[in-house]
Amino acid sequence: MALRSIYRGLKKNNLLSPLCNSCSHLHSHSTSFGYKEVREEEKSQMVGNVFTSVASSYDLMNDLMSGGLHRLWKERLVSKLNPFPGMKHLDVAGGTGDVAFRILESINNVGRRAMRDIHDDNVLDETQIFVCDINPNMLNVGKKRAQERGFGDNKSLVWVEGDAEALKFEDGSMDGYTIAFGIRNVTHIEKALAEAHRVLKRGGRFLCLELSHVELPIFKDLYDYYSFSVIPALGELVAGDRESYQYLVESVRRFPSQEKFAKMIAEAGFDKVEYENLVGGVVAIHSGLKF
Amino acid sequence: MYRSAARRILPAVCRRAGHFRSKASPVRFSAPIIHPAAFSAAAASENARNHKPNNFEASKISSSSSSSSNEGRKPRVTDRPKAHWQEEQARVLQASLRHVPDYSKNDLLIGWDRLLNFIGQISLGWSDAAMIAGAREVGVSPSIVGSFPRKEAALVEFFMDDCLQRLIDIIDLKEDLTNLIPSNRVAKLVRIRLEMQAPYISKWPQALSIQAQPSNIATSFKQRAMLVDEIWHAAGDESTDIDWYVKRTVLGGIYSTTEIYMLTDTSPDFRDTWAFLDERVREAFDLKRRCKR
């Protein structure tokens, strides 16, 4: 309800043009929430509301919107990460645990076990995957899914409630940091990147999976049509919440382009910053190395 | 003495039949060290190894940065801030190479107790397990292994570049090549280069299969082409016509066949391989002479 009134109010004034598409150019007190301009303090509250309301049907909606492709994207992310036994990994905004489960399964994989030596079995117990999310509802859904998959008692999986901009982990304590479809919801992306840089060890990797910009001519139009017409309608039908999914597609458009985001990652102190486009740019995996 | 004792102890602990031949091979490692002709080669290669972190940049094809003191031949673009992570990657790869073979050749000379320690160690081969171990040794998080584009291939390619650089250094140091006739020069250089692979010979088939994979074949072909070019250049080749291509193709063929022959050679010091090599080189030069007429 609050969303609708803000939306109507801002629409009347039509404050900022959509051309200004980077958070860093905005006035210090306001930020983007989809195509709307909102005060910074409000953004995290509003994002919180969005995810509280979508938490229960989050996974179903993901499957419907991406046609099941999101699973492949997450597989690609984990294979790029190349997890190893004894790894300390942090998955931020990983509420429902998709990426964390995949990492755990990859480490415990039987095929890998055949190739290991004796030392690795002791080291396996040191593996720790932290799943951090700002929204407790998403974490609860994740814990339930962990139970269903048999990871309920697994000591390697640790669920932590926390803010990506102010992580409660020590400096240089993580081998890997992933954030899948979460960074565009963060109010200050630079802060989140700086925190990522802080908690990573030397040689640690930063990986970000995010919906990104499509430049291919005809495909771009198809994608736009799909995003603005089909997705909010799906949201209304399945989750009963059109506004949240409208926010989703708008926030994707407002997010910096692949090159710009890569620059931001490099500015945060990462080396060897690269990105890989999947499905022509619908999704991009950015990676960086910390030294 | 080592060989018979090793043959008695090792079969008891090795798990696969294929290991038998590889376990016997450590004994050969002593040969490159004490054999007089190869001694200078080994010493030179040790020196080259010590300069490794600096020289690496010269041979790594994709890198475009350099560190301050290096003796590489190829021109490089200096870009100091960016050089850092590439040096780290090089250090990780260098450390990983130590985890690839069954034994380090030096340890067998040192003593029985070291030998017995190494029996427990399982060779990791050209795999990301070796790279993870290498990363741990250097003090860097093993996550860095994920950042190498084609993991095991990166290790193999690093080794190939490393060997090429060592070969170049040996060529620079040795002046007695001019005393030999061309066919002997070529044979000697190929032999020096193949001897560098001797410590890894038990795992070399794995490296060859990695190099043969479609995604890696372009780089491995390029590296071999560079190697063959280098050998001919050192042997004093000055041809500028179709001969240039013919010579390098023929030498490429000789090198590859000798390399594969070496994989199944069980003679002491790879004697049979060198005999095979000499035969092939002689045949190639005979063929050339016959074609000239």
Side-chain angles (χ1 to χ4, degrees), chain A residues 122-136:
Chain A
N122 304 332
V123 155
L124 186 62
D125 295 332
E126 290 173 13
T127 316
Q128 277 194 302
I129 320 273
F130 296 92
V131 183
C132 175
D133 201 290
I134 199 171
N135 192 304

Side-chain angles (χ1 to χ4, degrees), chain B residues 238-293:
Chain B
E238 282 163 356
S239 52
T240 47
D241 51 359
I242 190 99
D243 248 12
W244 190 91
Y245 294 94
V246 171
K247 280 184 171 152
R248 274 145 189 79
T249 314
V250 168
L251 183 58
I254 295 175
Y255 179 85
S256 299
T257 46
T258 316
E259 190 180 20
I260 293 174
Y261 186 96
M262 200 169 153
L263 296 176
T264 52
D265 186 10
T266 51
S267 64
D269 301 344
F270 295 105
R271 256 200 307 251
D272 292 345
T273 309
W274 312 136
F276 176 86
L277 173 64
D278 289 332
E279 267 298 312
R280 299 285 85 72
V281 172
R282 205 174 328 133
E283 274 175 13
F285 275 79
D286 279 347
L287 179 68
K288 182 178 112 177
R289 228 174 301 134
R290 235 171 286 142
C291 285
K292 288 282 183 196
R293 294 211 204 109

